[in-house]
Amino acid sequence: MKASNGVSLRTGTAFLRNEFYNMSIYRVSFWLNFIYTFLMMYSVGYVWRALYAANPSVAGVPLPQMISYAVLGVALEAILHPRNGPQRYIMEQVRKGTIEMDIMKPIDFQFYMFAKNIGGISVRFLFLVLPSLIVAFFLFSLELPNLPAFLGFFCSLLFSVIVSFFLNFILGLLSMVTMNIRNINWGYNALLRFFSGQMVPLWIFPGALGVISEILPFRCIYSIPMSIYIGNDTGIDMLKALGVQFAWILVLWLASRLLMKRVFTKVMIQGG
């Protein structure tokens, strides 16, 4: 079975808009997620305040920067958590035996999944992340980055969304072979939380753990954009970090295209 190679920006925008409308109608769910996101921000902020009260050099950066890092990590989780990735949709379609309908759409399957993913991220950013960050800004007196750091953070955040999508998309493709990736997804989520620097900055990881975190692509999702935001990576270091993200985008894009081609030739539809 072959996927269509067509990529239409107009068609992709239509899918993105449709996903935006579909997700924005669940208002009760969004309010619950907003409360959860805000409570998590509140919790991690005061945890780091308590740690700094006991040891002011515990993380190697000033307390205001560390709080900004921790709060931003919670905010990014709301849009980058694997539960919001395309693998969940693909696995469900495989389980129902309807993935064939998605593959046969007159648009590249990967581009289609990316458009759906961006639609979901847009909704969660507008309704969850932005309001939560505004409240956290006044509650914790968060520091805003300077202009170069902000521009670097914006570029890095775009790269992190793409890296996250490719990793999640590869997991989704695996579900076409294994039929169920719940345990694999759980293990992936555990590794992501630990080696991405979302909750604990990677620069305080000791020895071998620090080396492993440098090798894996997970730091491209959280650690790099957050480190740029708080000014821990500036100048040449920031450009090198962006280069690492871009390199992983190329590697994961190539890997996902090769895997997609291979899986589509052997895809097995369960049910229907």
Side-chain angles (χ1 to χ4, degrees), residues 162-235:
I162 298 173
V163 170
S164 177
F165 166 77
F166 281 138
L167 288 171
N168 292 332
F169 181 74
I170 289 173
L171 285 178
L173 292 176
L174 292 179
S175 71
M176 295 185 186
V177 179
T178 64
M179 302 298 171
N180 192 321
I181 58 167
R182 284 190 174 88
N183 292 332
I184 298 176
N185 206 34
W186 180 88
Y188 165 73
N189 187 34
L191 289 173
L192 175 64
R193 280 181 172 275
F194 188 79
F195 286 110
S196 67
Q198 181 207 355
M199 304 300 292
V200 180
L202 297 180
W203 61 77
I204 67 175
F205 274 29
L209 288 179
V211 174
I212 294 173
S213 66
E214 290 289 320
I215 295 174
L216 296 175
F218 301 135
R219 67 187 179 111
C220 298
I221 299 176
Y222 288 106
S223 180
I224 290 179
M226 291 158 58
S227 297
I228 291 175
Y229 181 91
I230 67 171
N232 206 43
D233 287 338
T234 59

Side-chain angles (χ1 to χ4, degrees), residues 87-104:
Q87 71 270 39
R88 183 176 179 181
Y89 172 84
I90 295 174
M91 185 179 69
E92 186 64 20
Q93 294 297 92
V94 169
R95 186 189 66 82
K96 295 187 297 185
T98 55
I99 190 64
E100 183 179 23
M101 302 303 296
D102 291 297
I103 294 176
M104 295 180 65

Side-chain angles (χ1 to χ4, degrees), residues 47-78:
V47 164
W48 280 107
R49 281 186 175 180
L51 291 174
Y52 268 75
N55 183 0
S57 60
V58 63
V61 296
L63 176 59
Q65 287 179 276
M66 192 61 241
I67 290 181
S68 297
Y69 183 98
V71 169
L72 190 60
V74 176
L76 293 184
E77 182 187 26

